[in-house]
Amino acid sequence: LIFCVAEMLESRSNFSWIISAAIVVAIVLFGVRWSSGILNKGPVLDEKYIIVPINDIITKGWTLKTAIDFQETKGPAMIWQYAFFGKMLGGTLNDLRLISVWSSLLCLVLLTWIAVRSSVYRKDLYFIAIGWLLLPYNLVFSEIVMGEVSFSLLSLFAVVAFIWGIQENAPASRRFLAPLLYCIAIAVALHSRIHVVALAGGICFTAFAFSGLRSWPWWVASILAGLLRIPLWVRWGGLVSPEYQTLHGLGFRLESLSYLAAAMVPFIGVFAIEGWRIAKSKAIILSSFIVGVLLVLFAMPILDVPEVIDYVNNSERFQGIAATLVKRISSNGAVQQGVLALLAGIGLSGLAGLWVCKDKTRLVGSITFWSLTFGWLLYAMTRGFVFDRFLLTWSFLLPIVWFKILPKWLLIPQYVLLAVIAAWLSVTWL
């Protein structure tokens, strides 16, 4: 963060625009906090589970039992930061929610720094700020105690370190320091959510495409960060704490790929249009659409959600924007499968379209494509719950990608669609 600020100060014109964009986001976030009913609400979404270990640390102090052996799907890195800063602020639920607001603001500052490095300047940074607010679920999670925003902050630190260090003709000190900072960020993020594995893979593949064999420090840093997660895995005996291991774990399931392919539509479905428009060969877009449709036809996820969470037996849930839309269109199973198959086709063709267009954004487009691809494939090897919001953990660079790739006649409709989704989710949960 310090070297980000230092480099921004070197270009005062961009620095003033970054601050201006941050002020706009702050006005929106604090405006939603004060004008919505969230300050008068009890726990929403997963807050009732997440705040338990946080409050234990605040009230009982930092012990091995409260800080490590708690029961939650989130890792210590997420719990600790809310407990540490939450106690400083007062420890109430709304105090903890304030940490999410400030985390979102810090995310925006790092994101705009990356945007400037991606040749987005001055007033165009407002498009990045708006895109950040409109990322599906992001506005809601910026107001409540959930792990996505704090995780995005750690992920953005990793990307900033990578972009800072991957530059051609970077001094030797930076070539050493940047992978070290990246390793620390990835290691901490791994102790929040395992999802950062996909981001690490995306950065490593991007580094290899950019630097070839000279990309080895990023691979080594990623491996070292992964090794640091092993002690917690051994202690917990799985990806998450013991009581929640029936909800999340390793396994093989194509239904996860089917559902997440459909859930990609609000995030990257628009790239199916732009990719089709500029691609010399339409085969990759068309074949991706067919794969998405076939996935749902052969592995249709069960969209019915039990009223009670089963902590004893392996269970699965598929919930979010895609499931809600499909179920509202029809209660007929065959119709639901057809709609979800169409969405999955659009989602995967959007991913293929992003591949076609990614070079327009250089590093950022490549990182986003590979992170989403690896993240999506990662869920073929898992069992348990699958939510649309998981995609947010790999989509935090999309505001830059949208602006750099999409022509205005596509960018504006995309933002309008996202605004409708953001408003609907805010009314529902805030």
Side-chain angles (χ1 to χ4, degrees), residues 220-283:
V220 172
S222 297
I223 293 171
L224 289 176
L227 292 175
L228 292 173
R229 182 60 164 76
I230 292 177
L232 183 62
W233 189 320
V234 172
R235 186 176 185 88
W236 278 0
L239 296 177
V240 296
S241 61
E243 288 185 9
Y244 285 83
Q245 288 178 10
T246 58
L247 309 185
H248 301 277
L250 297 177
F252 179 76
R253 188 177 58 183
L254 289 178
E255 287 82 358
S256 299
L257 297 185
S258 301
Y259 186 77
L260 284 179
M264 287 182 187
V265 173
F267 294 89
I268 58 172
V270 66
F271 293 114
I273 301 173
E274 181 63 9
W276 183 273
R277 189 178 72 87
I278 70 171
K280 294 180 180 179
S281 172
K282 317 298 184 184

Side-chain angles (χ1 to χ4, degrees), residues 52-299:
V52 172
I54 295 173
N55 285 335
D56 281 345
I57 294 177
I58 292 174
T59 58
K60 300 176 183 177
W62 294 79
T63 66
L64 194 62
K65 181 176 177 58
T66 60
I68 299 292
D69 294 332
F70 58 84
Q71 299 300 323
E72 230 296 314
T73 59
K74 310 299 184 295
M78 183 268 173
I79 304 299
W80 292 354
Q81 61 178 306
Y82 275 89
F84 179 79
F85 292 107
K87 186 172 183 178
M88 293 172 58
L89 293 172
T92 69
L93 177 57
N94 285 326
D95 293 328
L96 297 176
R97 287 167 172 166
L98 186 59
I99 297 170
S100 296
V101 176
W102 285 108
S103 294
S104 187
L105 278 173
L106 285 175
C107 284
L108 188 277
V109 171
L110 296 181
L111 185 65
T112 48
W113 182 89
I114 296 170
V116 170
R117 286 305 185 97
S118 303
S119 302
V120 180
Y121 304 119
R122 300 190 177 187
K123 66 179 183 300
D124 290 340
L125 293 174
Y126 285 129
F127 285 97
I128 308 304
I130 295 170
W132 173 252
L133 291 170
L134 294 182
L135 272 169
Y137 294 100
N138 200 39
L139 183 57
V140 172
F141 292 159
S142 296
E143 301 290 345
I144 63 177
V145 186
M146 293 283 282
E148 279 76 6
V149 174
S150 59
F151 178 82
S152 293
L153 182 59
L154 293 170
S155 298
L156 279 162
F157 272 120
V159 174
V160 165
F162 171 69
I163 292 177
W164 185 64
I166 197 66
Q167 300 174 53
E168 295 179 357
N169 302 320
S173 59
R174 185 183 298 185
R175 290 199 300 270
F176 169 77
L177 182 59
L180 176 61
L181 293 173
Y182 163 80
C183 179
I184 293 171
I186 293 293
V188 175
L190 267 173
H191 284 75
S192 177
R193 286 171 174 263
I194 201 73
H195 295 79
V196 79
V197 168
L199 173 64
I203 287 176
C204 286
F205 269 59
T206 300
F208 183 77
F210 186 81
S211 302
L213 294 178
R214 290 181 298 167
S215 65
W216 67 266
W218 307 103
W219 293 85
V220 172
S222 297
I223 293 171
L224 289 176
L227 292 175
L228 292 173
R229 182 60 164 76
I230 292 177
L232 183 62
W233 189 320
V234 172
R235 186 176 185 88
W236 278 0
L239 296 177
V240 296
S241 61
E243 288 185 9
Y244 285 83
Q245 288 178 10
T246 58
L247 309 185
H248 301 277
L250 297 177
F252 179 76
R253 188 177 58 183
L254 289 178
E255 287 82 358
S256 299
L257 297 185
S258 301
Y259 186 77
L260 284 179
M264 287 182 187
V265 173
F267 294 89
I268 58 172
V270 66
F271 293 114
I273 301 173
E274 181 63 9
W276 183 273
R277 189 178 72 87
I278 70 171
K280 294 180 180 179
S281 172
K282 317 298 184 184
I284 185 173
I285 309 290
L286 184 59
S287 59
S288 297
F289 180 84
I290 294 172
V291 169
V293 171
L294 291 177
L295 264 175
V296 175
L297 295 182
F298 285 101

